[in-house]
């Protein structure tokens, strides 16, 4: 199947799970096949592996549908080689995935804008392609004076594109909860063809376009991203606090006048990939157990190698044992207002699952970089308690008991709406 052909999608649970994670459930379409439905070849080995996980390795903190999604993800890794999975994951690029999803949902208006990049004399940067912005506006009755814009950066280790069946329903749920007028998804270039800092350059250009060409104010914008996209939210804010050498400084009206300085409406970090330390390094993997997560230590290391970032730069690695702690405090203290000045962001949410391979790094990011309180929520937390503990908090890190990396995208793929992280995010955004 080529990247220009539609992904295999089905309205069934099996169909939704298999193609969105871009690996067939129990097999693969026969070579050369152009059939749009998944081709299932249930072998005794694969069936036994799936049953074994569901019976003996399931996460007791999760709903059975969540466990099923995790079982299928772990099954694909046990069945297919890494190279094959990499090729399958990239067969449908982000733009095509969004187009196909919107074509099946006529109530969503979709337009695109290609944002030109300033010329660069740096041979490593001049080949960075211009970013593409996807504007999504669900056709509903809205306040015509509402300019709230959700700017979303998808995850995938900077290597994989957006996965529509999981990402799109999730992003649109955030759109609804935040009462946004429009949602904009950045289609950024992927590594290894375009390593660091290509994505930062494109994110800076995207935000500049919103502020300059669309005349939006920071107070109109909610910055959000999952996994690598969460890293990009942090990198963009770090660039505002301390401009990187790779992209021009973003000019924001009244930004230097603290009394009149406008804040971004909110920043949302969903299981952010904020540390680029190697597996075994204390800051990222000291107490990590990837038993329950579909994201593994080896996969994190592979993504890092492909992205080829610089761990000594705050725009690539939010914190590092090898960098002067004063620089980190200067940047994040400025962004989140711990330096005594007004924060650049009005409200901030960090979410992480306690079963995540990135749990320790997310905890440290929330504690040392963002600040604020930490709240622990589980499946038994009632809506009333959730509203009290989460909604309305200006700065908070929420640990979701038992959940995996970016759990809401898995939940969205199987149509499960009661996941802890999903409920936390929707409750918090309704209070923004």
């Amino acid at each position: 199947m080529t990247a220009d052909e539609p992904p295999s999608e089905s309205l069934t649970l099996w169909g939704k799970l298999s193609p969105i994670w871009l690996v067939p459930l129990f097999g693969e379409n026969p070579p050369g096949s152009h059939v749009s439905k998944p081709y299932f070849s249930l072998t005794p080995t694969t069936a036994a592996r799936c049953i074994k996980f569901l019976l003996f390795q399931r996460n007791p903190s999760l709903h059975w549908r969540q466990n099923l999604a995790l079982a299928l993800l772990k099954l694909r890794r046990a069945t297919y080689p890494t190279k094959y999975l990499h090729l399958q994951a990239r067969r449908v690029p982000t733009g095509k995935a969004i187009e196909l999803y919107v074509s099946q949902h006529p109530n969503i208006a979709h337009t695109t804008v290609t944002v030109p990049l300033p010329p660069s004399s740096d041979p490593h940067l001049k080949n960075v392609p211009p970013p593409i912005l996807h504007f999504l506006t669900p056709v509903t009755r809205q306040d015509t004076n509402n300019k709230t814009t959700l700017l979303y950066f998808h995850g995938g280790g900077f290597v994989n594109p957006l996965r529509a069946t999981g990402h799109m329903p999730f992003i649109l749920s955030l759109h609804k909860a935040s009462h946004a007028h429009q949602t904009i998804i950045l289609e950024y270039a992927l590594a290894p063809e375009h390593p660091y800092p290509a994505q930062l350059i494109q994110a800076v250009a995207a935000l500049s376009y919103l502020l300059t060409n669309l005349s939006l104010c920071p107070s109109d914008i909610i910055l959000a991203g999952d996994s690598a996209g969460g890293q990009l939210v942090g990198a963009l804010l770090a660039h505002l606090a301390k401009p990187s050498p790779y992209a021009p400084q973003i000019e924001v009206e009244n930004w230097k006048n603290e009394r009149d300085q406008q804040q971004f409406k909110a920043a949302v970090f969903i299981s952010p990939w904020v540390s680029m330390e190697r597996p075994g390094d204390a800051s990222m993997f000291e107490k990590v157990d990837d038993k329950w997560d579909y994201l593994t230590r080896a996969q994190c290391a592979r993504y890092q190698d492909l992205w080829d970032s610089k761990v000594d730069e705050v725009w690539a690695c939010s914190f590092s044992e090898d960098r002067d702690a004063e620089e980190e405090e200067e940047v994040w203290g400025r962004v989140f207002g711990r330096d005594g000045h007004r924060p650049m962001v009005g409200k901030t949410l960090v979410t992480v699952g306690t079963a995540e391979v990135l749990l320790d790094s997310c905890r440290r990011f929330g504690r040392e970089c963002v600040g604020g309180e930490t709240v622990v929520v589980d499946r038994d937390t009632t809506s009333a308690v959730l509203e009290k503990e989460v909604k309305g908090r200006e700065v908070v890190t929420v640990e979701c008991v038992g959940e995996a990396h970016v759990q809401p995208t898995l939940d969205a793929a199987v149509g499960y709406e009661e996941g802890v992280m999903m409920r936390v995010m929707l409750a918090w955004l309704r209070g923004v």
Side-chain angles (χ1 to χ4, degrees):
M1 179 176 285
T2 66
D4 293 327
E5 293 178 308
S8 302
E9 294 198 24
S10 171
L11 296 178
T12 66
L13 175 61
W14 300 108
K16 286 181 178 180
L17 276 169
S18 173
I20 184 49
W21 302 112
L22 305 176
V23 177
L25 182 57
F26 295 120
E28 181 186 7
N29 289 337
S33 171
H34 295 281
V35 178
S36 61
K37 289 187 177 181
Y39 172 77
F40 302 127
S41 177
L42 181 60
T43 67
T45 301
T46 53
R49 284 173 173 168
C50 191
I51 293 172
K52 177 184 176 182
F53 180 92
L54 292 174
L55 291 179
F56 304 109
Q57 296 177 291
R58 67 182 183 87
N59 186 330
S61 298
L62 300 183
H63 187 270
W64 70 264
R65 293 166 78 176
Q66 295 175 303
N67 270 303
L68 178 59
L70 286 170
L72 297 175
L73 290 173
K74 287 178 174 289
L75 177 62
R76 72 171 189 171
R77 291 218 174 89
T79 305
Y80 298 100
T82 300
K83 184 176 181 180
Y84 171 79
L85 294 176
H86 175 71
L87 294 175
Q88 284 291 95
R90 297 184 62 157
R91 65 178 181 169
V92 181
T94 293
K96 188 67 174 178
I98 295 174
E99 290 174 9
L100 289 168
Y101 185 89
V102 171
S103 69
Q104 299 170 6
H105 298 79
N107 63 320
I108 303 174
H110 174 225
T111 58
T112 62
V113 172
T114 300
V115 180
L117 293 176
S120 175
S121 58
D122 189 328
H124 299 290
L125 305 181
K126 66 179 182 180
N127 294 323
V128 175
I132 300 174
L133 300 180
H134 293 266
F135 289 74
L136 303 175
T137 309
V139 181
T140 58
R141 288 189 175 184
Q142 293 183 335
D143 180 1
T144 56
N145 296 320
N146 178 22
K147 292 185 177 182
T148 300
T149 297
L150 175 65
L151 177 59
Y152 196 89
F153 304 142
H154 70 84
F158 294 119
V159 173
N160 295 327
L162 171 146
R163 294 168 174 178
T165 307
H167 272 118
M168 292 300 290
F170 170 56
I171 294 172
L172 291 171
S173 294
L174 302 185
H175 170 99
K176 182 178 180 180
S178 61
H179 304 288
H181 165 67
Q182 61 185 349
T183 289
I184 302 174
I185 300 174
L186 170 65
E187 181 178 0
Y188 54 76
L190 300 177
E193 296 84 359
H194 300 284
Y196 175 84
Q199 298 75 23
L200 172 60
I201 293 171
Q202 292 177 316
V204 170
L207 180 58
S208 295
Y209 179 86
L210 268 59
L211 296 173
T212 303
N213 297 66
L214 300 187
S215 299
L216 292 177
C217 299
S219 57
D220 297 323
I221 301 172
I222 299 174
L223 301 170
D226 66 272
S227 192
Q231 190 283 334
L232 200 51
V233 171
L236 190 57
L237 292 170
H239 178 79
L240 287 166
K242 182 178 180 180
S244 75
Y246 309 114
Q249 183 174 356
I250 299 176
E251 297 296 334
V252 182
E253 186 177 359
N254 294 328
W255 193 261
K256 296 181 179 180
N257 185 346
E258 182 180 345
R259 184 175 61 84
D260 299 324
Q261 175 184 302
Q262 294 194 45
Q263 299 172 299
F264 286 97
K265 190 166 189 176
V268 182
F269 299 86
I270 309 155
S271 302
W273 184 32
V274 289
S275 176
M276 301 296 132
E277 304 294 344
R278 297 289 179 180
D281 288 350
S283 64
M284 185 172 179
F285 292 101
E286 182 178 13
K287 301 176 182 178
V288 161
D289 181 359
D290 56 15
K291 174 183 178 182
W292 302 116
D293 201 358
Y294 64 90
L295 183 67
T296 65
R297 307 183 193 193
Q299 195 173 14
C300 290
R302 178 174 171 273
Y303 286 158
Q304 182 178 336
D305 288 339
L306 293 174
W307 190 40
D308 195 23
S309 63
K310 299 179 180 179
V311 297
D312 61 338
E313 294 187 351
V314 71
W315 310 284
C317 185
S318 299
F319 55 84
S320 172
E321 303 295 341
D322 300 325
R323 190 170 59 234
D324 185 357
E326 291 185 3
E327 179 188 10
E328 295 175 6
E329 181 57 32
E330 175 189 355
V331 170
W332 301 120
R334 178 68 192 90
V335 170
F336 297 111
R338 297 200 317 277
D339 61 353
H341 295 83
R342 194 181 191 203
M344 291 183 170
V345 180
K347 295 185 176 183
T348 303
L349 170 68
V350 180
T351 63
V352 61
T354 61
E356 287 200 40
V357 72
L358 300 182
L359 174 60
D360 287 333
S361 62
C362 289
R363 278 175 169 168
R364 181 171 174 181
F365 176 71
R367 181 179 64 250
E368 299 181 12
C369 299
V370 177
E373 295 185 56
T374 297
V375 175
V376 179
V377 179
D378 60 24
R379 282 181 63 193
D380 295 329
T381 303
T382 65
S383 297
V385 173
L386 195 64
E387 293 280 321
K388 178 182 178 181
E389 293 294 326
V390 175
K391 186 177 179 181
R393 287 184 182 263
E394 292 192 355
V395 182
V396 63
T397 296
V398 182
E399 296 184 8
C400 305
V401 175
E403 297 208 325
H405 187 61
V406 197
Q407 184 72 51
T409 58
L410 276 69
D411 295 347
V414 298
Y416 183 63
E417 299 179 351
E418 296 301 318
V420 176
M421 197 177 299
M422 178 76 86
R423 292 171 57 214
V424 163
M425 299 191 65
L426 299 185
W428 187 83
L429 282 170
R430 285 193 286 266
V432 171

